[in-house]
Amino acid sequence: MRLGVDLGGTKIEIIALDENGEMHYRQRVDTPKGDYAATVGRIVGLVREAESQLGLNVNLSGSLGVGIPGAVSHKTRRIKNANSTWLIGQDLQGDLQRQLQCEVRLANDANCFALSEAVDGAGKGAEVVFGVIIGTGCGGGVVVNGRILNGVNAIGGEWGHNPLPWATADDLQMACYCGLKGCNETFLSGSGLQAHYQNRTGSSKTAKQIVALSEQGNIVAEQLMQDYILWLAKGLASVINLIDPDVIVLGGGMSNIQRLYDDVPKLWGNWVFSDQVNTQLLPPKYGDSSGVRGAAWL
């Protein structure tokens, strides 16, 4: 039995999969934001409860993978690049292993998402899959022939902290938590969409509300959505130019916007260095459970 944990900014989820990918257990709890010790404790509690419910000792007859909103530094073995900033600098893998007394496999949550969709999801059978997270943040993961491309710096697929390509003077360069300005994340994440809306209107709306307003004919919201589609097309075109994936799978809250799958591919050819673009842009098969499934497959 494979246990997978998805450590998110707002929730922590655990599932158990058998070798055929069938789910046997699932549980979600809130993330104790800003409290590292409580976060570790909550993960440990979820694992112990799953073991109890399944009659399982993960150390003897299973595996445990954890998807995190960051990466493990090859230099320090501690967490880096996490938008859940209370994890940064912590030895999460070591702390979990000490408390659980079993091997814990850690991977970036976007890598887990990409792995899930490549193994038995929307990208099943494809040679190269690029998994995109456009939710609270903007992450990415690359899977080649069923294996995560981590990279020598543990940042494979981190397109969110490249600058928006082919930006114009009208594209507002907002500050990013990474310390730079104009990152893809500031344009393409749900929080980025909210920030741009507030800048244009002076009012605060959630990404979901902005999308709804655009569908209702609100001029400002619709113009922002058209800009968002253009930004996403440019961002993904730069990825296609670099790794030429067979399939790009969108995840995160923004992936629920159905018009993206039609509108973005109509535009990205303007920046792709090819006479045709055969890359498919697809929604995830497993929705917001893809990340936790990928963690189980680690």
Side-chain angles (χ1 to χ4, degrees):
M1 194 72 68
R2 294 173 173 268
L3 296 185
V5 174
D6 182 25
L7 170 55
T10 58
K11 54 97 179 159
I12 306 173
E13 181 178 7
I14 187 170
I15 64 168
L17 300 181
D18 63 25
E19 290 298 326
N20 296 316
E22 294 295 323
M23 185 170 65
H24 293 257
Y25 179 83
R26 182 180 184 182
Q27 179 68 27
R28 283 186 177 186
V29 296
D30 292 336
T31 301
K33 290 185 176 182
D35 190 331
Y36 174 72
T39 299
V40 173
R42 198 149 294 179
I43 294 172
V44 170
L46 282 171
V47 173
R48 293 303 188 210
E49 178 64 19
E51 288 181 315
S52 175
Q53 293 293 325
L54 295 165
L56 172 72
N57 183 324
V58 71
N59 193 41
L60 299 177
S61 55
S63 64
L64 174 61
V66 180
I68 60 172
V72 178
S73 167
H74 289 173
K75 179 180 179 181
T76 66
R77 305 308 302 169
R78 294 175 179 269
I79 304 300
K80 66 175 183 177
N81 299 351
N83 54 20
S84 297
T85 53
W86 65 94
L87 301 176
I88 294 175
Q90 301 289 352
D91 181 17
L92 179 61
Q93 186 173 31
D95 291 336
L96 288 174
Q97 289 184 157
R98 279 186 286 273
Q99 294 196 38
L100 290 168
Q101 293 296 299
C102 70
E103 179 189 3
V104 178
R105 304 165 186 170
L106 254 60
N108 174 263
D109 53 4
N111 286 348
C112 291
F113 169 79
L115 182 63
S116 171
E117 292 297 330
V119 170
D120 62 352
K124 182 179 180 180
E127 182 181 4
V128 180
V129 176
F130 183 60
V132 172
I133 302 293
I134 38 176
T136 305
C138 179
V142 183
V143 174
V144 180
N145 292 323
R147 298 187 64 179
I148 294 171
L149 181 66
N150 282 307
V152 70
N153 299 301
I155 55 171
E158 283 291 1
W159 74 311
H161 297 283
N162 286 333
L164 179 74
W166 304 287
T168 70
D170 294 329
D171 295 329
L172 181 63
Q173 304 289 303
M174 292 187 173
C176 182
Y177 81 92
C178 74
L180 301 175
K181 287 186 175 181
C183 293
N184 279 324
E185 181 156 320
T186 67
F187 290 97
L188 302 178
S189 65
S191 53
L193 185 73
Q194 293 168 215
H196 282 276
Y197 183 84
Q198 186 163 14
N199 177 264
R200 295 184 184 188
T201 66
S203 64
S204 178
K205 299 286 185 185
T206 66
K208 192 172 183 178
Q209 288 171 330
I210 295 166
V211 173
L213 283 171
S214 72
E215 293 171 346
Q216 294 161 14
N218 180 281
I219 295 174
V220 176
E222 174 56 21
Q223 181 57 59
L224 178 55
M225 286 307 304
Q226 290 182 24
D227 290 342
Y228 180 87
I229 288 166
L230 183 66
W231 295 334
L232 183 58
K234 289 179 176 180
L236 293 179
S238 69
V239 172
I240 295 171
N241 283 340
L242 188 63
I243 63 172
D244 202 12
D246 301 79
V247 176
I248 296 174
V249 186
L250 301 183
M254 301 297 287
S255 72
N256 295 317
I257 304 172
Q258 292 304 308
R259 65 192 287 191
L260 298 181
Y261 301 98
D262 290 324
D263 294 352
V264 169
K266 291 176 182 176
L267 294 176
W268 64 18
N270 291 312
W271 301 280
V272 173
F273 188 58
S274 176
D275 60 348
Q276 62 178 4
V277 185
N278 293 321
T279 300
Q280 297 181 74
L281 182 65
L282 300 175
K285 179 177 179 179
Y286 294 110
D288 65 357
S289 288
S290 228
V292 73
R293 289 180 65 89
W297 287 123
L298 288 173

